[in-house]
Structures are given as C-alpha cells and as structure tokens.
Amino acid sequence: MKRVIALMMVSMFSLGMLSACNTMAGAGQDVQKAGEKVEKKAEDCKDGRC
C-alpha cells in the first residue's frame, strides 16, 4: 500500500512539473512577442516618426 501511495505521489509531482514547463514556455513566447513590439516601436521613434 505504501508503494502505491508513493507511486501516485511521484506521478502527481511529475505531471505538475510537466504542466509548469508548458506554462513557462508559453509565458516566454508572450514576453518575446511583447519585446518584438517594443523593439519595432523604438525603431519607428528613432526615425522621428513617433
């Protein structure tokens, strides 16, 4: 019985870690897109067209 409980806890921990990786990857993509927009706006303002 203890082995089954330990296996279930390890499984739940593993699933939590995998979902966290997907969440962080999505957040990284969002931050990257926001950075690209800021960079584009900075390029536009550099030419005096703000």
Side-chain angles (χ1 to χ4, degrees):
M1 187 69 175
K2 289 181 182 180
R3 186 175 182 188
V4 172
I5 292 173
L7 184 60
M8 288 176 62
M9 291 185 73
V10 168
S11 297
M12 289 175 21
F13 178 76
S14 297
L15 287 174
M17 292 301 292
L18 288 174
S19 65
C21 289
N22 287 335
T23 301
M24 290 306 293
Q29 290 174 352
D30 292 342
V31 170
Q32 184 178 8
K33 287 180 183 177
E36 289 171 357
K37 289 181 181 181
V38 169
E39 186 177 338
K40 185 178 182 315
K41 184 67 175 176
E43 286 294 322
D44 289 347
C45 287
K46 185 173 77 172
D47 297 335
R49 298 183 305 167
C50 290

